[in-house]
């Protein structure tokens, strides 16, 4: 009997629908080359694992718990959502939903509250991805009786016992995450994939803006492009700059000024006017004036 597999990784990838998600990830997210290639690697691992199982090569499912490190607005949450979709399509998890939490969702204020809280979240995430943002806040060494430790223990157990139907992704700043792993070797040893999200270059931020605008059915007119480029290069150097999130927030404010300007025209508006953002909508930003000290607010 020929035991060779008639399904190539390529056809399997196609059939699972994961190819489409991977293609969208590549197309809809600017830059992030190292991140994208790591996700392709993980998809390959899962596909080969399935082909191996098909021909009777048994092994335990690979551990897929991950850590996403990077500054705010570098795409960690967005990629985690896509990752969850890919994992479902490759049959690693059943549902592929993402449950995004922070310490407050897992840890209680009083004795006896933490275990049920954490278990409830784990239950909700089962069959999908549990995304723990700023995960290092779970560990507070300065507080000897911090309930975070209890939450960590329960998470570790779930990560071990449900490794074939629950993927935990820890996210946060790189240096704080490193410190966290330094004092939590149990957690460190269960994280199989560390993916670093670099800050975007000025060029990438411009591309992200254009992509966001296209998705929103807006466009910059010709003078608006260099104006926004100036905006980006100033804003990047200010406090509270949050990469792509700051771009999204800036576009929101520009749309607001655009709307106010059109409103003031008090005339019949053409479709072109309705979708075209002008340099003046951008140049009115505080970033060009005294905003240099303060920065614009880009809350989460
Ligand atoms: N590479 C990218 N290309 C296009 N949009 C991006 C990219 N990275 C982030 N974004 C957008 O920026 C915003 C913030 O991203 P997010 O994933 O929330 O960042 P983080 O979780 O790292 O803080 C989202 O609206 C997201 O769609
Ligand atoms: Mg996030």
């Amino acid at each position: 009997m020929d035991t060779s597999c008639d399904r190539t990784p390529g056809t399997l990838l196609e059939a699972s629908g994961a190819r489409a998600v991977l293609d969208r990830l590549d197309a809809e997210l600017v830059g992030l080359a190292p991140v994208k290639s790591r996700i392709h690697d993980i998809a390959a691992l899962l596909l080969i694992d399935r082909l191996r199982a098909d021909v009777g090569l048994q092994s335990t499912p690979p551990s897929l718990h991950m850590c996403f490190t990077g500054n705010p607005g570098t795409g960690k949450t967005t990629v985690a959502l896509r990752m969850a979709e890919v994992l479902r399509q490759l049959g690693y998890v059943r549902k592929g939903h993402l449950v995004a939490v922070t310490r407050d969702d897992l840890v209680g204020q009083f004795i006896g509250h933490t275990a049920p809280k954490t278990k409830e979240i784990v239950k909700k995430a089962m069959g999908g991805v549990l995304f723990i943002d700023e995960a290092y806040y779970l560990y507070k060494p300065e507080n000897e009786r911090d309930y975070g430790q209890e939450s960590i223990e329960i998470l570790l157990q779930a990560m071990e016992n449900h490794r074939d139907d629950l993927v935990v992704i820890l996210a946060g700043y790189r240096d704080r995450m490193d410190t966290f792993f330094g004092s939590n070797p149990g957690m460190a040893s269960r994280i199989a994939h560390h993916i670093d999200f670099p800050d975007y270059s000025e060029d990438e931020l411009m591309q992200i803006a254009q992509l966001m605008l296209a998705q929103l059915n807006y466009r910059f007119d010709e003078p608006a492009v260099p104006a926004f480029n100036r905006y980006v290069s100033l804003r990047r150097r200010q406090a509270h700059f949050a990469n792509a999130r700051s771009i999204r927030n800036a576009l929101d404010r520009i749309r607001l000024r655009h709307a106010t300007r059109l409103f003031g025209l008090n005339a019949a508006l053409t479709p072109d006017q309705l979708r075209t953002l002008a340099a003046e909508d951008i140049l009115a930003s505080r970033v060009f004036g005294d905003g240099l000290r303060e920065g614009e607010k880009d809350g989460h």
Side-chain angles (χ1 to χ4, degrees), residues 163-188:
R163 55 187 290 174
D164 53 350
D165 200 30
L166 174 72
V167 169
V168 174
I169 300 179
L170 308 180
Y173 291 104
R174 171 76 187 269
D175 52 345
R176 292 197 207 173
M177 223 52 242
D178 286 348
T179 310
F180 172 79
F181 285 131
S183 10
N184 292 273
M187 197 54 102

mmCIF file of all heavy atoms in Angstrom, residues 163-188:
data_model
loop_
_atom_site.group_PDB
_atom_site.id
_atom_site.type_symbol
_atom_site.label_atom_id
_atom_site.label_comp_id
_atom_site.label_asym_id
_atom_site.label_seq_id
_atom_site.Cartn_x
_atom_site.Cartn_y
_atom_site.Cartn_z
ATOM 1 N N ARG A 163 -3.585 22.311 26.239
ATOM 2 C CA ARG A 163 -2.699 22.864 25.219
ATOM 3 C C ARG A 163 -3.187 22.585 23.798
ATOM 4 O O ARG A 163 -2.752 23.235 22.860
ATOM 5 C CB ARG A 163 -1.278 22.366 25.397
ATOM 6 C CG ARG A 163 -1.160 20.856 25.429
ATOM 7 C CD ARG A 163 0.228 20.438 25.772
ATOM 8 N NE ARG A 163 1.145 20.727 24.674
ATOM 9 C CZ ARG A 163 2.461 20.557 24.750
ATOM 10 N NH1 ARG A 163 3.009 20.156 25.862
ATOM 11 N NH2 ARG A 163 3.218 20.809 23.721
ATOM 12 N N ASP A 164 -4.095 21.637 23.626
ATOM 13 C CA ASP A 164 -4.584 21.370 22.271
ATOM 14 C C ASP A 164 -5.863 22.141 21.952
ATOM 15 O O ASP A 164 -6.440 21.989 20.882
ATOM 16 C CB ASP A 164 -4.813 19.874 22.065
ATOM 17 C CG ASP A 164 -5.698 19.295 23.151
ATOM 18 O OD1 ASP A 164 -5.957 20.004 24.148
ATOM 19 O OD2 ASP A 164 -6.146 18.146 23.003
ATOM 20 N N ASP A 165 -6.352 22.950 22.889
ATOM 21 C CA ASP A 165 -7.570 23.699 22.589
ATOM 22 C C ASP A 165 -7.576 25.096 23.215
ATOM 23 O O ASP A 165 -8.605 25.744 23.285
ATOM 24 C CB ASP A 165 -8.800 22.908 23.068
ATOM 25 C CG ASP A 165 -10.082 23.383 22.368
ATOM 26 O OD1 ASP A 165 -9.987 23.841 21.206
ATOM 27 O OD2 ASP A 165 -11.154 23.299 22.978
ATOM 28 N N LEU A 166 -6.431 25.524 23.667
ATOM 29 C CA LEU A 166 -6.336 26.873 24.220
ATOM 30 C C LEU A 166 -4.934 27.406 23.955
ATOM 31 O O LEU A 166 -3.948 26.747 24.269
ATOM 32 C CB LEU A 166 -6.590 26.864 25.734
ATOM 33 C CG LEU A 166 -6.367 28.214 26.429
ATOM 34 C CD1 LEU A 166 -7.468 29.198 26.086
ATOM 35 C CD2 LEU A 166 -6.268 28.038 27.941
ATOM 36 N N VAL A 167 -4.877 28.568 23.342
ATOM 37 C CA VAL A 167 -3.588 29.206 23.118
ATOM 38 C C VAL A 167 -3.569 30.488 23.938
ATOM 39 O O VAL A 167 -4.494 31.299 23.857
ATOM 40 C CB VAL A 167 -3.358 29.499 21.620
ATOM 41 C CG1 VAL A 167 -2.152 30.395 21.421
ATOM 42 C CG2 VAL A 167 -3.184 28.193 20.848
ATOM 43 N N VAL A 168 -2.536 30.633 24.747
ATOM 44 C CA VAL A 168 -2.399 31.842 25.557
ATOM 45 C C VAL A 168 -1.334 32.730 24.917
ATOM 46 O O VAL A 168 -0.238 32.269 24.606
ATOM 47 C CB VAL A 168 -2.031 31.498 27.017
ATOM 48 C CG1 VAL A 168 -1.736 32.768 27.810
ATOM 49 C CG2 VAL A 168 -3.152 30.702 27.674
ATOM 50 N N ILE A 169 -1.687 33.976 24.689
ATOM 51 C CA ILE A 169 -0.716 34.945 24.183
ATOM 52 C C ILE A 169 -0.539 36.037 25.227
ATOM 53 O O ILE A 169 -1.499 36.695 25.633
ATOM 54 C CB ILE A 169 -1.174 35.584 22.848
ATOM 55 C CG1 ILE A 169 -1.359 34.505 21.758
ATOM 56 C CG2 ILE A 169 -0.155 36.635 22.379
ATOM 57 C CD1 ILE A 169 -1.828 35.055 20.404
ATOM 58 N N LEU A 170 0.700 36.180 25.716
ATOM 59 C CA LEU A 170 1.017 37.253 26.654
ATOM 60 C C LEU A 170 1.571 38.419 25.843
ATOM 61 O O LEU A 170 2.355 38.208 24.915
ATOM 62 C CB LEU A 170 2.077 36.782 27.659
ATOM 63 C CG LEU A 170 1.803 35.469 28.409
ATOM 64 C CD1 LEU A 170 2.971 35.165 29.348
ATOM 65 C CD2 LEU A 170 0.504 35.542 29.196
ATOM 66 N N ALA A 171 1.153 39.629 26.183
ATOM 67 C CA ALA A 171 1.621 40.769 25.399
ATOM 68 C C ALA A 171 2.063 41.901 26.307
ATOM 69 O O ALA A 171 1.599 42.018 27.446
ATOM 70 C CB ALA A 171 0.511 41.256 24.466
ATOM 71 N N GLY A 172 2.960 42.726 25.789
ATOM 72 C CA GLY A 172 3.392 43.895 26.542
ATOM 73 C C GLY A 172 4.747 44.402 26.081
ATOM 74 O O GLY A 172 5.313 43.900 25.111
ATOM 75 N N TYR A 173 5.245 45.402 26.817
ATOM 76 C CA TYR A 173 6.559 45.961 26.511
ATOM 77 C C TYR A 173 7.626 44.883 26.663
ATOM 78 O O TYR A 173 7.558 44.060 27.595
ATOM 79 C CB TYR A 173 6.908 47.097 27.478
ATOM 80 C CG TYR A 173 6.076 48.339 27.306
ATOM 81 C CD1 TYR A 173 5.055 48.632 28.198
ATOM 82 C CD2 TYR A 173 6.330 49.225 26.273
ATOM 83 C CE1 TYR A 173 4.294 49.786 28.063
ATOM 84 C CE2 TYR A 173 5.578 50.386 26.127
ATOM 85 C CZ TYR A 173 4.563 50.652 27.024
ATOM 86 O OH TYR A 173 3.814 51.792 26.878
ATOM 87 N N ARG A 174 8.601 44.930 25.781
ATOM 88 C CA ARG A 174 9.645 43.926 25.742
ATOM 89 C C ARG A 174 10.411 43.807 27.075
ATOM 90 O O ARG A 174 10.547 42.728 27.648
ATOM 91 C CB ARG A 174 10.611 44.281 24.595
ATOM 92 C CG ARG A 174 11.876 43.489 24.525
ATOM 93 C CD ARG A 174 11.609 42.103 23.954
ATOM 94 N NE ARG A 174 12.794 41.289 24.029
ATOM 95 C CZ ARG A 174 13.704 41.212 23.058
ATOM 96 N NH1 ARG A 174 13.535 41.897 21.947
ATOM 97 N NH2 ARG A 174 14.755 40.449 23.196
ATOM 98 N N ASP A 175 10.898 44.943 27.590
ATOM 99 C CA ASP A 175 11.757 44.873 28.781
ATOM 100 C C ASP A 175 10.994 44.370 30.001
ATOM 101 O O ASP A 175 11.498 43.555 30.777
ATOM 102 C CB ASP A 175 12.421 46.231 29.056
ATOM 103 C CG ASP A 175 11.414 47.373 29.115
ATOM 104 O OD1 ASP A 175 10.262 47.170 28.658
ATOM 105 O OD2 ASP A 175 11.759 48.462 29.618
ATOM 106 N N ARG A 176 9.760 44.808 30.137
ATOM 107 C CA ARG A 176 8.968 44.357 31.302
ATOM 108 C C ARG A 176 8.616 42.881 31.182
ATOM 109 O O ARG A 176 8.540 42.163 32.184
ATOM 110 C CB ARG A 176 7.696 45.172 31.413
ATOM 111 C CG ARG A 176 7.977 46.614 31.777
ATOM 112 C CD ARG A 176 6.733 47.278 32.264
ATOM 113 N NE ARG A 176 6.797 48.704 32.005
ATOM 114 C CZ ARG A 176 5.787 49.535 32.214
ATOM 115 N NH1 ARG A 176 4.636 49.073 32.676
ATOM 116 N NH2 ARG A 176 5.914 50.810 31.969
ATOM 117 N N MET A 177 8.370 42.447 29.960
ATOM 118 C CA MET A 177 8.077 41.030 29.730
ATOM 119 C C MET A 177 9.295 40.178 30.092
ATOM 120 O O MET A 177 9.160 39.126 30.720
ATOM 121 C CB MET A 177 7.733 40.866 28.246
ATOM 122 C CG MET A 177 6.569 39.995 27.895
ATOM 123 S SD MET A 177 5.000 40.288 28.682
ATOM 124 C CE MET A 177 4.839 38.741 29.510
ATOM 125 N N ASP A 178 10.482 40.650 29.704
ATOM 126 C CA ASP A 178 11.714 39.919 30.023
ATOM 127 C C ASP A 178 11.884 39.780 31.532
ATOM 128 O O ASP A 178 12.229 38.715 32.031
ATOM 129 C CB ASP A 178 12.939 40.649 29.436
ATOM 130 C CG ASP A 178 13.040 40.484 27.922
ATOM 131 O OD1 ASP A 178 12.311 39.620 27.368
ATOM 132 O OD2 ASP A 178 13.832 41.211 27.296
ATOM 133 N N THR A 179 11.634 40.871 32.243
ATOM 134 C CA THR A 179 11.745 40.841 33.700
ATOM 135 C C THR A 179 10.742 39.852 34.278
ATOM 136 O O THR A 179 11.059 39.065 35.174
ATOM 137 C CB THR A 179 11.469 42.249 34.284
ATOM 138 O OG1 THR A 179 12.268 43.189 33.585
ATOM 139 C CG2 THR A 179 11.768 42.301 35.766
ATOM 140 N N PHE A 180 9.522 39.892 33.753
ATOM 141 C CA PHE A 180 8.462 38.984 34.205
ATOM 142 C C PHE A 180 8.897 37.529 34.032
ATOM 143 O O PHE A 180 8.771 36.716 34.957
ATOM 144 C CB PHE A 180 7.187 39.276 33.414
ATOM 145 C CG PHE A 180 6.069 38.294 33.628
ATOM 146 C CD1 PHE A 180 5.274 38.357 34.765
ATOM 147 C CD2 PHE A 180 5.798 37.311 32.686
ATOM 148 C CE1 PHE A 180 4.232 37.451 34.958
ATOM 149 C CE2 PHE A 180 4.756 36.407 32.864
ATOM 150 C CZ PHE A 180 3.971 36.474 34.009
ATOM 151 N N PHE A 181 9.428 37.193 32.871
ATOM 152 C CA PHE A 181 9.852 35.808 32.628
ATOM 153 C C PHE A 181 11.013 35.434 33.542
ATOM 154 O O PHE A 181 11.115 34.301 33.990
ATOM 155 C CB PHE A 181 10.251 35.605 31.163
ATOM 156 C CG PHE A 181 9.067 35.544 30.233
ATOM 157 C CD1 PHE A 181 9.036 36.306 29.084
ATOM 158 C CD2 PHE A 181 7.981 34.721 30.518
ATOM 159 C CE1 PHE A 181 7.939 36.255 28.224
ATOM 160 C CE2 PHE A 181 6.887 34.664 29.670
ATOM 161 C CZ PHE A 181 6.865 35.435 28.521
ATOM 162 N N GLY A 182 11.879 36.426 33.832
ATOM 163 C CA GLY A 182 12.995 36.183 34.726
ATOM 164 C C GLY A 182 12.538 35.705 36.087
ATOM 165 O O GLY A 182 13.153 34.822 36.700
ATOM 166 N N SER A 183 11.433 36.250 36.571
ATOM 167 C CA SER A 183 10.951 35.842 37.895
ATOM 168 C C SER A 183 9.836 34.800 37.817
ATOM 169 O O SER A 183 9.339 34.375 38.856
ATOM 170 C CB SER A 183 10.504 37.053 38.716
ATOM 171 O OG SER A 183 10.440 38.199 37.960
ATOM 172 N N ASN A 184 9.439 34.395 36.620
ATOM 173 C CA ASN A 184 8.403 33.366 36.481
ATOM 174 C C ASN A 184 8.849 32.283 35.504
ATOM 175 O O ASN A 184 8.308 32.170 34.401
ATOM 176 C CB ASN A 184 7.088 33.996 35.992
ATOM 177 C CG ASN A 184 6.467 34.891 37.044
ATOM 178 O OD1 ASN A 184 5.717 34.444 37.886
ATOM 179 N ND2 ASN A 184 6.819 36.166 36.986
ATOM 180 N N PRO A 185 9.845 31.489 35.931
ATOM 181 C CA PRO A 185 10.398 30.489 35.006
ATOM 182 C C PRO A 185 9.339 29.497 34.524
ATOM 183 O O PRO A 185 9.433 29.002 33.402
ATOM 184 C CB PRO A 185 11.478 29.781 35.838
ATOM 185 C CG PRO A 185 11.217 30.170 37.258
ATOM 186 C CD PRO A 185 10.517 31.484 37.230
ATOM 187 N N GLY A 186 8.328 29.242 35.338
ATOM 188 C CA GLY A 186 7.264 28.328 34.928
ATOM 189 C C GLY A 186 6.559 28.854 33.693
ATOM 190 O O GLY A 186 6.275 28.115 32.746
ATOM 191 N N MET A 187 6.293 30.131 33.702
ATOM 192 C CA MET A 187 5.631 30.761 32.571
ATOM 193 C C MET A 187 6.594 30.791 31.378
ATOM 194 O O MET A 187 6.216 30.442 30.256
ATOM 195 C CB MET A 187 5.204 32.180 32.972
ATOM 196 C CG MET A 187 4.175 32.820 32.082
ATOM 197 S SD MET A 187 2.675 31.864 31.827
ATOM 198 C CE MET A 187 1.499 32.664 32.912
ATOM 199 N N ALA A 188 7.832 31.176 31.636
ATOM 200 C CA ALA A 188 8.816 31.277 30.549
ATOM 201 C C ALA A 188 8.946 29.948 29.810
ATOM 202 O O ALA A 188 9.003 29.910 28.582
ATOM 203 C CB ALA A 188 10.168 31.700 31.109
#
